[in-house]
Amino acid sequence: MYQYIVKRLLLAVPTLLGAAALVFILMRLIPGDVCVIRLGSGGAHVDPASVNACRESLGLNDPLIIQFFDFIWNYATFNFGNSMWSGHPVVHEIGQRLPVSLQIAVMATVIAILLAIPLGTISALKENTWLDHFVRMFAIAGIATPSFWLGIMSLVLVLDITYLATGKAWMPPITYVSFWEDPIRNLSIVILPAITVGYRYSAVTMRLTRSAMLEVMREDYIRTARSKGLMEQLIVNRHALKNALLPVVTLIGIEFAFLIGGLVVTEQVFNLNGIGKLFVLAVQNQDNVLTQALVMLVVTIFVVTNLVVDLLYAWLDPRIRFS
Amino acid sequence: MSFRTGVWAAGLGLAAAIAAAPAGAQTPKKGGTLTYMISADASPSFDGHRETTFATVHAVAPYYSVLIRVPPDNPASTTEFVCDLCTAMPTPTDGGKTYTFKIREGVKWHDGSPLTAKDVAASWNKIVFPPQGVTSARISYYSMVEKIEAPDDTTVVFRLKKPSAAFLPALADPFTWIYKKEILDKDPKWYEKNIMGSGPFKFVSYQIGQSIKGVRNPDYYHKGQPYLDAIEGIFAAKQSVRVDAIRGDRAAIEFRGMPPSARDELVKEAGKEIVVQDSDWNCGNIITANQKKKPFDDVRVRRALALAIDHWRGAPALSKIAIVRSVGGIVFPGSPLAATKEELQQMAGYWPDIEKSRAEARRLLKEAGAEGLKFELTNRNVDQPYKFVGTWLIGEWKKIGLEVEQKVVPTGPWFQAMRTASFDVVVDANCQSVVNPALDTGKYLPQSVYPESYGGYEDPKSVELYNKMLDATDPKAQRAAMREYEKHTLDTMAHAIVTPYWYRIVPHRSYVKGWKISASHYLNQDLANIWLDK
């Protein structure tokens, strides 16, 4: 098992290198210049000499090949550089924002699991009943509803309900504090975005749980279990659900990894200072250093999550062995 | 003076004072925290000398002093300047070439050390003559400055190469924060990542992309100010977040400006709890045709583009949905050098009879062999007001048979298109701080003279008229010279089309008092005047 983990981690190196090369090339293909944007985005006059001085200080006047090898060498030596836009170390920039995205991703995942697995299972077990139809409608609505709309609507709803109830509109605080600093304030900030994201997430997971359960429930070993006279609850929990969860776990893993960098819209709607917002900002500003670091972070999260998911397979299905 | 005369004088003085006092003027209350929204994701750096964005001013200006500024109680004035760190506005000597400023004594840096004229001179030298490798974004404003000296701890002297009416307005630029000489000497880039000034508030903390916090400076030199105990600026690029924050009273104000729809929404929802301040904005869009491309090298085609536009009906209609309102020429409307309505109506695009104007446009196109011309209008991917203005223009041009496609691109490629002249016609922008027509109008010059002008033309006559306007020191002569320059640029050569000036709308919580709107979102942002009535 340890050998397998080490092998997988070593295989991550070429994956990371490939991603690094790709993002390096793509960022240079986008027209625009971080210095022009930084100095001139306010609309005021920008002196070309100032733009050139800025480019020089950021190493943008160096040949591309030199820039690329600098970038690879810096990563190999764990020097992730400073943001071209703000000048702050990217580790610091990402470090400030990662807890926000991580917390929402974790909370959304918990909400999704709590909703999706029981509802998906019930839906499969009660196939074609009103309950099944209701759960499926709930899931389709979750997939079809854009999260930005749901986010804005939930905020408007909170504002309107509190206004009608108390005469004073209330909205969640718009600056993040950590859970350890102020748990109530923290939860009042993250609960709406977590529900917004968690609902869509649960809808996708719910549909997969349902179809996986339907498939498993028609398997021979379930029929055998039933013929042995086992209790239905035992059959579902011990034999069916565990097997049906294999594809669901894969989906949860991918979705979780995606959420870390993919909460762009939700973070904008709720003014959360997370990784998704930073990603958009970095690309918009042509901040190559920060964009590269963020891509590498997301790739790393995907690699690690996939590894964790693969290891979970063995726990869920003892027949699976890694070597 | 007899007793009787004295009583009369005192009575008249009192009456005058009462008459002069604004209706409903209140005594400022001390205390409280102002939470305000900054409509950006983050400030690129803390260094005002380097940056040009309002995101830097709105976040960092409260921590710094400047030498002179627009009057905080009347920031809408386009001609008045007052001292901040100096003791009195100087009268120029040496035929208008020398300005001597006396610096306040007893001013302290936030670290407790004394601020002297040496700090002021060092800061201005960094702005006007930046050392190698240091970026100064406004260096071109100060081309008339020859030397800046501090002969002693309370005197700063600016020596100019020639007298210039543009000097004082340029000196009042709100980005020209005064830094500590000792720090600049050690590291001229220190202020990019750190804040240490002498302004009304002391810096407390900054969370990148989230918020910046400060507390009252008890040693502030404007007695009694600031009124607030603390300030917190919250970054939020998304408009709905900012509107909801003010609606839910999570924030009291956003200083840049909101579109009419947001104002109406807030007023409808919060009624008397919202106060709206509005003003013409020293920002505008300039429509520039690429004269390196055919047929835009033909003045008849460019004039036709201008003649097709109905400013007088378009501006009020657009103002209902976009942040634009006033029709103007090259100069900020209402300022002393601006064209009157009658003067504007003499130029292409401003004719009072739009049918006659469009008939002339069609005639010119036919004469130039450009009937039914198809081209691309490159625009910035910013809703307000860029895309609204672009869409309006396309409708106007359609009325003379032109077929125009709007190409909307992000900020980077937008700049790239202009700099590499890879556009047909572009929606450019001209956004300034202090109204300073002599410098604000440079964007209409050939690119070889003014690098941020993208029309791709050479026009010695334009440069000659501009210099004539710049050199004029008598206001009447300068106004006449400006008319010549404007007529040549917008009418004779049709180098550019000026779309309606932006209109700044700032809805805020009614408990925010003391802040007054100005012609620019860069001005009057040290927040020292603000107090909370709650």
Side-chain angles (χ1 to χ4, degrees):
Chain A
M1 177 71 94
Y2 291 115
Q3 261 185 340
Y4 174 78
I5 293 172
V6 171
K7 194 177 159 191
R8 284 286 297 268
L9 288 176
L10 285 175
L11 275 171
V13 175
T15 311
L16 291 169
L17 260 176
L22 198 65
V23 70
F24 181 88
I25 294 162
L26 290 177
M27 281 307 290
R28 267 101 190 140
L29 287 178
I30 302 171
D33 183 328
V34 63
C35 291
V36 172
I37 298 170
R38 193 173 65 185
L39 297 174
S41 56
H45 163 77
V46 189
D47 182 9
S50 304
V51 174
N52 197 47
C54 165
R55 287 180 60 83
E56 193 64 45
S57 68
L58 295 175
L60 291 171
N61 288 340
D62 294 340
L64 273 186
I65 193 77
I66 303 278
Q67 289 185 46
F68 181 71
F69 281 112
D70 275 352
F71 161 56
I72 296 295
W73 174 249
N74 286 339
Y75 268 69
T77 53
F78 295 98
N79 172 12
F80 303 105
N82 295 336
S83 158
M84 288 174 151
W85 179 260
S86 69
H88 294 283
V90 294
V91 173
H92 180 61
E93 293 244 20
I94 293 172
Q96 273 202 343
R97 281 139 159 133
L98 192 57
V100 183
S101 300
L102 209 56
Q103 186 181 0
I104 293 171
V106 169
M107 284 177 67
T109 305
V110 171
I111 289 169
I113 291 171
L114 290 178
L115 278 175
I117 294 175
L119 287 179
T121 309
I122 291 168
S123 181
L125 296 176
K126 305 283 180 190
E127 191 186 0
N128 289 329
T129 62
W130 68 268
L131 195 60
D132 178 32
H133 292 308
F134 175 77
V135 172
R136 284 161 72 186
M137 268 171 56
F138 182 72
I140 288 166
I143 294 165
T145 310
S147 53
F148 73 86
W149 184 84
L150 196 62
I152 292 170
M153 285 304 114
S154 62
L155 266 178
V156 170
L157 205 66
V158 168
L159 279 160
D160 283 347
I161 288 174
T162 50
Y163 183 73
L164 287 171
T166 65
K168 191 101 183 149
W170 182 91
M171 73 173 288
I174 43 179
T175 49
Y176 179 82
V177 292
S178 80
F179 182 80
W180 314 114
E181 206 178 316
D182 187 341
I184 293 171
R185 188 180 154 98
N186 171 274
L187 288 175
S188 65
I189 294 164
V190 296
I191 197 73
L192 278 180
I195 291 171
T196 305
V197 177
Y199 174 39
R200 190 201 62 82
Y201 190 172
S202 74
V204 180
T205 317
M206 203 183 298
R207 284 182 64 82
L208 190 68
T209 310
R210 181 182 178 275
S211 59
M213 274 299 284
L214 281 175
E215 204 179 313
V216 169
M217 291 301 283
R218 286 173 191 140
E219 291 285 338
D220 288 344
Y221 65 86
I222 298 293
R223 203 174 304 123
T224 309
R226 278 191 178 133
S227 67
K228 285 198 294 185
L230 275 179
M231 282 170 66
E232 189 66 16
Q233 200 179 345
L234 209 64
I235 293 167
V236 170
N237 289 343
R238 196 169 288 175
H239 296 278
L241 191 58
K242 239 179 151 184
N243 286 319
L245 279 182
L246 284 179
V248 176
V249 166
T250 311
L251 178 76
I252 288 171
I254 292 168
E255 281 278 328
F256 177 79
F258 175 75
L259 279 184
I260 302 292
L263 288 167
V264 179
V265 174
T266 310
E267 285 173 8
Q268 292 281 357
V269 169
F270 293 96
N271 201 39
L272 290 163
N273 199 27
I275 292 292
K277 202 170 147 188
L278 185 65
F279 226 134
V280 173
L281 191 66
V283 175
Q284 271 178 356
N285 294 338
Q286 302 258 291
D287 187 342
N288 299 343
V289 174
L290 187 53
T291 310
Q292 283 155 187
L294 285 164
V295 171
M296 301 315 282
L297 172 77
V298 173
V299 173
T300 310
I301 289 169
F302 265 97
V303 168
V304 173
T305 310
N306 273 322
L307 179 62
V308 172
V309 166
D310 286 353
L311 297 178
L312 273 177
Y313 277 12
W315 176 70
L316 283 169
D317 186 349
R319 290 169 301 175
I320 298 171
R321 286 283 172 267
F322 297 114
S323 59
Chain B
M1 188 195 288
S2 70
F3 175 73
R4 201 171 165 173
T5 319
V7 169
W8 266 107
L12 282 171
L14 186 64
I18 291 168
Q26 294 168 276
T27 310
K29 291 177 188 167
K30 281 217 164 199
T33 297
L34 175 78
T35 307
Y36 63 100
M37 304 303 291
I38 303 172
S39 51
D41 280 311
S43 169
S45 86
F46 293 146
D47 187 356
H49 301 178
R50 190 180 85 162
E51 307 303 343
T52 59
T53 171
F54 74 93
T56 304
V57 170
H58 288 195
V60 191
Y63 307 102
Y64 287 102
S65 310
V66 287
L67 181 59
I68 67 167
R69 56 183 175 168
V70 296
D73 295 324
N74 184 24
S77 167
T78 59
T79 52
E80 199 185 339
F81 303 103
V82 295
C83 271
D84 185 17
L85 275 178
C86 57
T87 56
M89 288 300 291
T91 307
T93 55
D94 188 21
K97 290 203 292 184
T98 302
Y99 287 77
T100 305
F101 290 90
K102 295 305 280 183
I103 304 301
R104 285 172 185 272
E105 291 182 70
V107 177
K108 284 183 187 169
W109 290 106
H110 292 161
D111 66 3
S113 59
L115 181 149
T116 73
K118 301 268 192 287
D119 298 304
V120 179
S123 302
W124 272 102
N125 271 306
K126 176 177 176 270
I127 295 165
V128 181
F129 311 109
Q132 185 80 24
V134 173
T135 303
S136 173
R138 275 156 290 273
I139 195 167
S140 62
Y141 292 7
Y142 306 103
S143 57
M144 75 291 274
V145 179
E146 188 175 63
K147 198 189 268 186
I148 304 158
E149 298 164 307
D152 58 56
D153 278 356
T154 59
T155 311
V156 171
V157 183
F158 287 80
R159 294 189 201 284
L160 311 189
K161 294 168 196 161
K162 59 181 179 181
S164 171
F167 175 65
L168 272 186
L171 209 64
D173 188 282
F175 287 88
T176 55
W177 301 329
I178 302 304
Y179 296 154
K180 192 172 180 178
K181 182 177 185 299
E182 189 188 330
I183 294 173
L184 290 179
D185 287 345
K186 283 182 194 155
D187 178 7
K189 292 188 175 181
W190 187 86
Y191 279 99
E192 287 177 11
K193 291 181 192 167
N194 302 281
I195 295 175
M196 207 290 288
S198 53
F201 294 91
K202 284 185 171 186
F203 172 71
V204 172
S205 66
Y206 174 61
Q207 274 220 301
I208 303 167
Q210 181 162 308
S211 65
I212 183 162
K213 292 179 187 174
V215 292
R216 182 146 60 96
N217 172 12
D219 297 323
Y220 191 49
Y221 46 88
H222 288 296
K223 287 294 165 222
Q225 291 183 346
Y227 303 115
L228 299 163
D229 284 339
I231 51 172
E232 181 176 13
I234 296 173
F235 294 94
K238 199 160 178 60
Q239 184 185 292
S240 64
V241 171
R242 303 194 303 273
V243 173
D244 280 346
I246 294 172
R247 192 173 157 211
D249 205 10
R250 288 285 175 199
I253 189 167
E254 182 247 290
F255 293 106
R256 186 173 184 265
M258 289 182 175
S261 57
R263 170 200 58 201
D264 296 344
E265 187 186 333
L266 280 169
V267 170
K268 187 182 156 203
E269 294 285 335
K272 285 180 185 167
E273 289 178 29
I274 295 292
V275 168
V276 181
Q277 296 194 48
D278 45 18
S279 158
D280 273 323
W281 198 341
N282 194 16
C283 275
N285 289 113
I286 302 169
I287 311 307
T288 307
N290 185 353
Q291 295 187 35
K292 285 181 178 163
K293 272 192 178 183
K294 284 193 180 301
F296 305 109
D297 57 339
D298 188 331
V299 67
R300 291 171 297 185
V301 174
R302 298 196 304 272
R303 284 199 96 226
L305 293 183
L307 285 161
I309 295 163
D310 186 355
H311 286 278
W312 305 110
R313 258 190 274 179
L318 266 179
S319 72
K320 290 178 184 153
I321 51 169
I323 54 167
V324 298
R325 199 167 87 159
S326 298
V327 177
I330 285 183
V331 184
F332 181 67
S335 63
L337 294 187
T340 61
K341 188 174 180 181
E342 290 69 33
E343 285 165 335
L344 280 174
Q345 286 181 337
Q346 306 299 314
M347 295 189 291
Y350 299 92
W351 294 4
D353 183 347
I354 188 63
E355 291 315 317
K356 189 180 160 193
S357 187
R358 287 188 182 141
E360 172 64 2
R362 285 188 208 100
R363 188 192 70 76
L364 286 171
L365 285 174
K366 192 175 178 184
E367 197 180 293
E371 274 179 302
L373 175 68
K374 291 180 186 175
F375 65 88
E376 208 170 61
L377 177 70
T378 302
N379 204 348
R380 188 182 192 179
N381 189 17
V382 173
D383 283 342
Q384 285 290 356
Y386 292 81
K387 287 199 261 182
F388 287 82
V389 167
T391 308
W392 169 62
L393 288 171
I394 287 170
E396 296 292 278
W397 285 327
K398 199 174 179 183
K399 289 171 188 161
I400 58 164
L402 303 184
E403 209 175 299
V404 186
E405 192 183 324
Q406 188 167 200
K407 183 185 173 190
V408 177
V409 294
T411 298
W414 177 68
F415 272 117
Q416 186 89 346
M418 289 192 288
R419 284 178 174 273
T420 55
S422 55
F423 65 91
D424 296 331
V425 179
V426 69
V427 180
D428 190 4
N430 189 19
C431 216
Q432 307 287 346
S433 56
V434 173
V435 175
N436 183 359
L439 296 180
D440 291 356
T441 57
K443 197 141 189 167
Y444 301 86
L445 290 167
Q447 199 169 15
S448 55
V449 181
Y450 198 86
E452 301 302 309
S453 166
Y454 302 107
Y457 52 87
E458 284 307 327
D459 184 353
K461 179 78 178 167
S462 162
V463 183
E464 181 198 319
L465 292 172
Y466 180 75
N467 285 336
K468 186 178 160 193
M469 183 274 297
L470 209 59
D471 291 345
T473 46
D474 170 57
K476 272 189 180 171
Q478 195 175 33
R479 195 178 185 285
M482 179 62 93
R483 291 288 73 72
E484 272 191 88
Y485 171 60
E486 188 173 57
K487 177 88 176 158
H488 175 82
T489 308
L490 298 185
D491 187 70
T492 313
M493 296 308 295
H495 284 318
I497 297 166
V498 181
T499 59
Y501 274 75
W502 294 8
Y503 198 69
R504 195 173 169 212
I505 301 168
V506 178
H508 60 80
R509 287 264 147 195
S510 54
Y511 58 73
V512 176
K513 307 279 186 184
W515 181 81
K516 289 186 180 166
I517 199 163
S518 63
S520 161
H521 56 314
Y522 303 120
L523 296 172
N524 199 26
Q525 284 304 135
D526 73 7
L527 312 184
N529 267 30
I530 293 184
W531 56 280
L532 304 180
D533 189 17
K534 66 174 185 179

